[in-house]
Amino acid sequence: SALAGILSGVLFIGWLIMLFGFVKLEPNEALVTLFFGKYQGTLRKTGFFYLNPFMSCKYVSLRARNLDATPIKVNDKTGNPIMIGQVIVWRLKDSYKALFDIDAETMAANATASGVTAVNRRMKAFENFVKVQSDAALRQIAGLYAYDETDTHTEGATLRSGTDEINEILEQKLNERLAMAGIEVVEARI
């Protein structure tokens, strides 16, 4: 009788532990799994799964996001100060790089907001990273072109007339800068 009670107690505790292994993934969501700190893999398939209950899991959103950066003051090629802004559509492409190749966890831990989930804090950290890198890329691109055609500068594209060419270059520069974080720029416009 005592042995049956102990056995049922152990089985009940084991059953409770096993319940923590169930996870659910929604569309455009990824789950990065770690087993005692060692990367085990990333789940991207939508559905209901059972994982080892001793694995730690980090959710990230793979949905496209917009960044409508406030205009910044930069100097164009001829040295004229201009205000220029940008709109970027971006998303996470490589969740491993996003979580482990940049300091997203520290940035997310420093983001203090009550009632905000870890996923939202993590995504805010990625948004901040994209904002800083996009400002740097915009400053670099704006310095390569004149704002408008002048007597001294008549050849090539300008920030006003060559927007398609400049947007392509901006997108390329942003993808170069954000590739280290596993982030892909879908579209960028000045």
Side-chain angles (χ1 to χ4, degrees), residues 16-161:
L16 281 177
I17 290 172
M18 298 306 277
L19 279 178
F20 289 103
F22 291 105
V23 294
K24 176 184 71 162
L25 274 177
E26 296 180 7
N28 286 319
E29 192 174 56
L31 179 69
V32 177
T33 57
L34 304 165
F35 187 64
F36 294 110
K38 184 177 179 189
Y39 175 74
Q40 295 298 307
T42 301
L43 288 173
R44 291 176 177 259
K45 189 175 179 185
T46 303
F48 191 65
F49 302 94
Y50 183 78
L51 301 173
N52 183 336
F54 297 106
M55 281 190 168
S56 59
C57 302
K58 297 182 181 200
Y59 288 90
V60 291
S61 173
L62 301 176
R63 293 177 177 99
R65 294 177 176 264
N66 290 321
L67 172 69
D68 185 7
T70 53
I72 57 175
K73 188 174 185 178
V74 298
N75 291 331
D76 69 356
K77 184 177 182 177
T78 59
N80 295 323
I82 57 171
M83 295 293 288
I84 188 168
Q86 63 185 333
V87 176
I88 300 170
V89 179
W90 64 276
R91 66 184 177 102
L92 284 181
K93 185 177 182 181
D94 186 342
S95 53
Y96 177 86
K97 283 183 174 182
L99 286 174
F100 301 115
D101 285 356
I102 63 169
D103 199 10
E105 291 303 309
T106 304
M107 290 186 297
N110 291 338
T112 55
S114 61
V116 178
T117 65
V119 177
N120 288 341
R121 282 195 315 268
R122 199 171 291 124
M123 295 312 293
K124 283 287 186 192
F126 295 140
E127 286 176 13
N128 187 46
F129 185 80
V130 169
K131 182 184 180 322
V132 170
Q133 293 300 321
S134 65
D135 281 356
L138 184 61
R139 286 180 190 280
Q140 180 184 9
I141 297 298
L144 298 176
Y145 297 94
Y147 175 72
D148 206 357
E149 292 182 13
T150 62
D151 294 336
T152 59
H153 177 78
T154 56
E155 74 284 342
T158 64
L159 292 172
R160 279 186 55 171
S161 67

